[in-house]
Amino acid sequence: MDFTHIDRNGNAVMVDVSEKAATERTAVARGRIRMSRQCFEAVKNRTAKKGDVLGVAQIAGIMASKHTADLIPLCHRLNLTKSTVDFSLSEDSEEKCYVEAVCTVRCTDRTGVEMEALTAVSVAALTIYDMCKAVQKDMRIENIRLLSKSGGKSGDYQIKE
C-alpha cells in the first residue's frame, strides 16, 4: 500500500486533489470521556463551576471541525456545510460514568471529512476535561474512532461493531 502524503523520496507532501471531482462527503466519529460519579453529576446537572460544560464543548467541537487544517499538517481546508456535536450521558455504575460525543461533518468537496469529525470529537472531549479538571484530574478520554464515511473514490465505510 502506498502512502499518499509521502513522495518517492520520502518527503511529506500535500495530496493534489485538483483532478478529483467534488462530491458530497460525510463522516461520523465518536469518542467518550470516562469520569467519576461526582464529576458526572456536575456535568449532567449543569453545576460545574466553569458553567455549561456540554454547551461549551459542543461549540468547541464544531469550531475545531472548521479549523482542522490549522491543526493537522497537510490537511486540506474544506468548506463544511454541516458540523454537529451531540452528547449522550451514560451511568452504568459508579466506575462507568461517561459522556459520549458523536460528530457528523458534511461538505461537497474533493477530499473527505474524516479528520474534521475526529478532530471535533477530540476537542469536545478535551474541553469537557478542561472544564471539569478541578473536580477530577484522572478522567480518561477513550475510544475515539471513525464510525462511518461516505463519498469519494474510496466509497463508503461503516464500522463493524
Side-chain angles (χ1 to χ4, degrees), residues 16-86:
D16 182 357
V17 297
S18 58
E19 299 299 317
K20 288 180 154 186
T23 61
E24 184 174 296
R25 291 144 185 278
T26 302
V28 181
R30 177 181 68 204
R32 67 170 59 158
I33 182 165
R34 188 177 301 267
M35 60 189 60
S36 68
R37 168 72 55 194
Q38 177 188 9
C39 190
F40 181 82
E41 291 298 329
V43 171
K44 179 177 156 184
N45 298 322
R46 298 180 181 193
T47 57
K49 288 186 180 184
K50 287 191 174 184
D52 179 7
V53 173
L54 298 182
V56 174
Q58 183 177 48
I59 295 298
I62 292 168
M63 288 176 63
S65 71
K66 294 169 62 172
H67 290 277
T68 300
D70 296 329
L71 302 170
I72 308 294
L74 310 177
C75 199
H76 290 85
R77 186 166 307 283
L78 300 175
N79 186 22
L80 303 182
T81 57
K82 176 182 181 172
S83 180
T84 62
V85 178
D86 298 301

Side-chain angles (χ1 to χ4, degrees), residues 82-136:
K82 176 182 181 172
S83 180
T84 62
V85 178
D86 298 301
F87 298 102
S88 60
L89 285 74
S90 179
E91 48 188 318
D92 298 341
S93 68
E94 184 66 34
E95 299 84 37
K96 291 188 178 181
C97 294
Y98 59 85
V99 176
E100 184 173 88
V102 175
C103 178
T104 302
V105 179
R106 182 174 299 132
C107 76
T108 300
D109 215 314
R110 294 180 164 113
T111 190
V113 288
E114 297 96 301
M115 293 309 301
E116 287 72 11
L118 289 162
T119 299
V121 165
S122 300
V123 170
L126 287 167
T127 301
I128 292 169
Y129 182 93
D130 181 54
M131 293 187 73
C132 296
K133 67 185 179 225
V135 175
Q136 181 185 1

